[in-house]
C-alpha cells in the first residue's frame, strides 16, 4: 500500500500493450502505476470508443466493492430480493443499482441528498424509489422494508437500517461518512434474526481480490461489454494530475452524480 492516492486505474500494460483497468491499493494518481495482473480486467469497451479508457478507469473500485458486499453467495444472491442503498447517486450507489438490477433484485430503493439526485437515481441510474434524506428526515418510515441494506454512513443510521430490514435481513456496512459509533438496542437484531456485516476492500488479502476479479470477469464483464449493465455513469472528467484538488472539492461538495475521472496524459506525451 502506497501513500499515493488512487485505487483504480486504466491504461496500457507495459509488457504487451493490452488495454486494462485494475484495482490497486493506491498509486493511481500517476503516469505509471503498478498493478497485480490478477487484479486487472480487460477494458470492456470497443477500441473505436474514444471514451473507453475514461469509462474503464471508473469501474474497478466500485464494481469490486459492490460484488464483494452484495454478492456473497454468487450472482443469484439478490435474485427476487429487495435492496436499499444509501448514497444512491455516488459511484458505489450507481454500481449497486446497476448490478442489483442486472442480477434479478425485485426492488431497489435508495437515499440521496437532494431532489436532483433522487431524480437522477430513478431516471438515470435505475432505482425504483429514492428518498431525500436532507429535506425529509422521516424518509425511512415511508420506505418499503428491504432484505439487504448497503450503508456507508454509520452513526445514527444503524437504528434506521435495522428498522428498514425484513426478518432475516442483512445490513452491510462499507463506510462511516457519519460516524463509526452508534448506540442501538440489539433486541431488534435478535427478534428479527438479522445479520450485520461489513468489509474494507483496500486492505483485503490479495488472493481475495484476485478471486473477486475472476468472478467479475465471468459474471459482470460480459454484461458491461454487451451494454446490459450500463456502467459507469461518469459525472465529470478532469485533465491532468494538477486537477486532483478540483476533483476532491467536487466530491466533498456532494454535487456529483456518479464518478469523477482524472485523465492523465501518457508520460511521453
Amino acid at each position: 500500500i502506497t501513500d499515493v492516492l488512487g485505487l483504480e486505474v486504466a491504461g496500457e500494460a507495459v509488457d504487451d500493450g493490452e488495454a486494462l483497468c485494475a484495482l490497486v491499493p493506491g498509486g493511481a494518481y500517476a503516469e505509471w502505476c503498478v498493478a497485480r495482473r490478477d487484479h486487472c480486467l480487460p477494458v470492456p469497451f470497443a477500441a473505436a470508443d474514444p471514451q473507453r479508457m475514461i469509462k474503464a478507469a471508473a469501474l474497478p473500485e466500485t464494481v469490486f466493492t459492490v460484488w464483494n458486499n452484495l454478492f456473497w453467495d454468487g450472482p443469484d444472491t439478490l435474485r427476487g430480493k429487495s435492496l436499499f442503498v444509501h448514497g444512491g447517486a455516488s459511484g458505489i450507489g450507481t454500481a449497486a443499482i446497476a448490478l442489483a438490477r442486472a442480477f434479478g433484485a425485485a426492488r431497489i430503493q435508495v437515499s440521496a441528498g437532494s431532489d436532483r439526485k433522487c431524480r437522477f437515481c430513478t431516471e438515470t441510474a435505475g432505482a425504483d424509489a429514492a428518498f431525500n434524506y436532507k429535506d425529509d428526515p422521516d424518509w425511512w418510515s415511508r420506505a418499503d422494508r428491504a432484505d439487504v441494506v448497503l450503508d456507508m454512513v454509520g452513526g445514527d443510521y444503524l437504528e434506521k437500517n435495522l428498522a428498514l430490514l425484513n426478518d432475516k435481513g442483512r445490513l452491510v456496512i462499507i463506510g462511516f461518512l457519519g460516524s463509526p459509533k452508534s448506540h442501538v438496542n440489539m433486541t431488534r437484531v435478535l427478534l428479527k434474526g438479522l445479520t450485520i456485516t461489513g468489509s474494507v476492500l483496500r486492505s483485503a488479502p490479495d488472493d481475495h481480490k484476485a478471486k473477486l476479479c475472476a468472478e467479475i470477469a465471468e459474471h459482470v464483464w460480459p454484461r458491461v461489454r454487451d451494454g446490459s449493465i450500463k456502467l459507469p455513469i461518469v459525472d465529470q472528467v478532469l485533465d491532468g494530475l494538477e486537477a486532483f484538488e478540483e476533483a476532491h472539492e467536487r466530491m466533498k461538495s456532494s454535487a456529483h452524480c456518479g464518478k469523477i475521472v482524472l485523465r492523465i496524459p501518457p508520460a511521453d506525451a
Side-chain angles (χ1 to χ4, degrees):
I1 293 178
T2 173
D3 292 333
V4 178
L5 298 174
L7 301 178
E8 56 190 349
V9 65
E12 293 182 351
V14 172
D15 56 355
D16 60 10
E18 184 180 2
L20 299 171
C21 56
L23 181 75
V24 294
Y29 289 16
E31 295 171 328
W32 301 92
C33 181
V34 176
R36 287 176 57 111
R37 195 73 183 209
D38 56 0
H39 295 175
C40 294
L41 291 156
V43 169
F45 307 107
D49 182 350
Q51 302 296 310
R52 65 192 299 247
M53 286 298 193
I54 290 171
K55 293 189 292 186
L59 286 173
E61 195 271 338
T62 52
V63 173
F64 273 69
T65 297
V66 170
W67 191 262
N68 187 40
N69 287 282
L70 293 185
F71 295 90
W72 61 91
D73 276 339
D76 290 327
T77 302
L78 294 180
R79 189 168 302 281
K81 295 181 180 179
S82 55
L83 171 68
F84 196 103
V85 179
H86 293 291
S90 67
I92 294 288
T94 54
I97 294 167
L99 267 65
R101 179 69 66 209
F103 290 99
R107 183 165 173 77
I108 304 167
Q109 302 174 97
V110 302
S111 66
S114 69
D115 289 343
R116 178 181 69 88
K117 286 191 171 187
C118 286
R119 288 192 299 271
F120 165 84
C121 289
T122 55
E123 297 173 7
T124 301
D128 295 302
F131 300 87
N132 183 339
Y133 66 87
K134 287 187 177 179
D135 293 345
D136 183 7
D138 295 323
W139 62 266
W140 61 275
S141 65
R142 284 184 284 280
D144 293 335
R145 301 289 81 83
D147 298 307
V148 180
V149 172
L150 181 65
D151 179 43
M152 57 194 78
V153 181
D156 61 5
Y157 268 48
L158 179 57
E159 190 72 44
K160 297 180 177 69
N161 290 331
L162 298 182
L164 276 174
L165 284 168
N166 287 321
D167 289 356
K168 308 300 182 183
R170 186 180 187 98
L171 169 60
V172 184
I173 301 169
I174 59 170
F176 302 109
L177 295 176
S179 171
K181 297 181 180 180
S182 181
H183 297 282
V184 62
N185 185 339
M186 296 297 288
T187 302
R188 194 191 302 267
V189 176
L190 301 182
L191 294 178
K192 296 173 72 174
L194 304 179
T195 298
I196 301 174
T197 186
S199 71
V200 176
L201 182 61
R202 186 182 186 191
S203 58
D206 285 335
D207 59 350
H208 178 66
K209 294 177 186 176
K211 177 176 178 290
L212 293 175
C213 191
E215 292 174 357
I216 290 166
E218 178 182 358
H219 300 293
V220 180
W221 240 231
R223 298 182 184 226
V224 175
R225 190 176 293 114
D226 68 18
S228 56
I229 291 179
K230 300 185 185 305
L231 286 176
I233 299 174
V234 176
D235 174 82
Q236 188 175 21
V237 180
L238 299 171
D239 286 313
L241 282 171
E242 64 276 6
F244 85 91
E245 289 184 295
E246 182 182 351
H248 281 244
E249 285 302 316
R250 184 163 179 78
M251 282 191 289
K252 289 178 184 177
S253 73
S254 294
H256 63 293
C257 291
K259 298 282 289 189
I260 301 168
V261 179
L262 281 179
R263 178 167 45 197
I264 302 170
D268 58 354

